[in-house]
Amino acid sequence: MLGETGGEVTLIGNLIALMVPISISILFIVITKMDIADAWLIFAAAQGLGCAFVFLFFDVSVPPTAFDAFLIGVNGLIVGSLAMGLITLGLRMLPAAEVSLLMTGETIIGPILVWWWVGLMPGFYTLIGGALVLLALFGNAFWRLRNQNQTSSA
């Protein structure tokens, strides 16, 4: 995404693209350091308020239809909150780096769902990137299992 051609590339777009992984990393660090059982509620609310604040600065020349507003609400209230809850649970059971690595599976699943549901074909670089992500996921899982077996047999 960062600097990818195919659309207009702007400095502000690249800065926003860089802020996403940085903010998620900060979020993971804060969640792992917090001792609050329901931290995901706090972050789900902050996520919604943060998105609303950011979108105040965008020019919306075409307001969303009622159905679009419904989908936006479902995404914000259900999908985002559920995802944040599951991420928080995952961070309590796995290291933050491992959760981050597992979340890259979204990079693979997203284009596949779009391809299947909308009928769009993922590009060459999307397929290469997905293969690299899968390789990293499987490599990490294999390495971790191998180390776990060596530790338990020693």
Side-chain angles (χ1 to χ4, degrees):
M1 282 180 17
L2 181 63
E4 182 178 309
T5 59
E8 183 179 335
V9 178
T10 62
L11 178 61
I12 190 75
N14 283 339
L15 291 174
I16 290 171
L18 282 173
M19 287 305 298
V20 171
I22 291 169
S23 62
I24 288 176
S25 298
I26 292 169
L27 171 72
F28 285 1
I29 292 167
V30 170
I31 287 176
T32 55
K33 299 295 180 192
M34 288 182 73
D35 198 26
I36 300 173
D38 294 327
W40 71 274
L41 289 171
I42 296 167
F43 289 110
Q47 173 189 5
L49 292 173
C51 287
F53 178 75
V54 168
F55 280 105
L56 286 175
F57 298 105
F58 285 94
D59 175 30
V60 182
S61 56
V62 179
T65 64
F67 183 69
D68 289 340
F70 169 75
L71 290 177
I72 292 168
V74 167
N75 184 42
L77 294 173
I78 298 172
V79 176
S81 298
L82 180 64
M84 187 56 62
L86 292 173
I87 289 168
T88 303
L89 288 174
L91 285 168
R92 297 192 187 283
M93 298 177 207
L94 296 169
E98 184 119 3
V99 173
S100 296
L101 187 60
L102 289 171
M103 284 184 60
T104 57
E106 178 187 1
T107 307
I108 300 163
I109 295 168
I112 290 171
L113 288 176
V114 169
W115 177 38
W116 174 65
W117 192 338
V118 180
L120 298 177
M121 184 66 171
F124 175 74
Y125 292 115
T126 302
L127 295 174
I128 295 296
L132 289 173
V133 169
L134 277 176
L135 183 65
L137 286 171
F138 287 124
N140 181 59
F142 176 74
W143 177 79
R144 209 174 142 153
L145 283 173
R146 194 176 122 218
N147 284 345
Q148 189 175 22
N149 288 339
Q150 288 177 353
T151 305
S152 63
S153 65

